[in-house]
Structure formats: structure tokens, C-alpha cells
Amino acid sequence: ISVLLLHYPNGCPDALQPDGTSTKESVARTAEHLKALACWYVESVQLPALPVAFVGWSMGGPVVIEAAAGLLGQLKIASVATIAAKFLLVHEESPNKLVHAGVPLLLMHNSPGLASERLA
């Protein structure tokens, strides 16, 4: 088992980043970083069929959902779990892509109704 810990750019997940980008832009940028890091790791250990699980807390929830949805077909996504995720920052189609691809998606301690409204 390997664990990769990823921090937000500038260490600030608030509404407006010090560099002027919004939270949604920050989530997208961090998801791109996570995708690149996950691909690099799988290639570096030379295990292309390595199952990858993503776990995100708070603002990390949208990051792991977006990254995993973007990596479908590139990596073997075993599961995605979020804890107290800021679900409104997730693109509407991303959780549906995961669920329809058969990826287990666990949303823990989420705001009532937000997740169920987005999953069809």
C-alpha cells in the first residue's frame, strides 16, 4: 500500500486564492495535479493494473471525484470515498461517470440531499 498526500496550491482552499483564482478553479487545478501524480506513480512502480483508491476530505472530496472521473479508462479506479465533501464544487456529470463505470463511490457525512440530487 502506498499513500500519496496532496495539498492545495498555496495551501489555501478558501473562496478566493491568494493568486486570485476561485475555489472551483483551485479544485480543477488540484484535480489535474492529482491525475498527473497518480499516473506518474502507477508508471513508476511499473504496475499498470494497480488498483487505485481515492479518498478526499472536505475540499479534497471534489478533487478526488473530479480526478477519478477524469482518469476512467487510464487507470484502474478501485473506489472513491469522500468525507464531508463540498459537493457543490463537483461537476454534475463526474459522480455519474464513476457510478456508471462501476466504481464504488462512498460519500460520508455529506449535506442531506446534495449528493442524491446529483446522482441519477
Side-chain angles (χ1 to χ4, degrees):
I1 294 176
S2 295
V3 176
L4 303 174
L5 180 61
L6 189 65
H7 291 278
Y8 288 96
N10 303 322
C12 179
D14 296 328
L16 192 61
Q17 301 294 314
D19 64 1
T21 59
S22 71
T23 300
K24 276 197 171 194
E25 291 169 326
S26 234
V27 166
R29 183 172 54 192
T30 307
E32 288 302 315
H33 292 167
L34 177 56
K35 287 167 48 179
L37 183 60
C39 288
W40 167 82
Y41 182 77
V42 169
E43 288 175 17
S44 72
V45 296
Q46 299 179 354
L47 295 170
L50 180 72
V52 179
F54 291 104
V55 179
W57 170 58
S58 189
M59 296 291 288
V63 170
V64 298
I65 290 171
E66 295 298 336
L71 288 169
L72 287 172
Q74 295 177 54
L75 296 182
K76 183 179 179 182
I77 309 297
S79 61
V80 177
T82 68
I83 305 161
K86 307 289 185 185
F87 208 74
L88 291 174
L89 297 172
V90 175
H91 289 101
E92 194 168 318
E93 68 278 357
S94 295
N96 285 320
K97 284 181 184 177
L98 294 170
V99 171
H100 292 148
V103 175
L105 177 60
L106 176 62
L107 307 171
M108 296 179 277
H109 183 56
N110 206 345
S111 299
L114 289 178
S116 60
E117 291 171 9
R118 298 246 175 147
L119 293 173

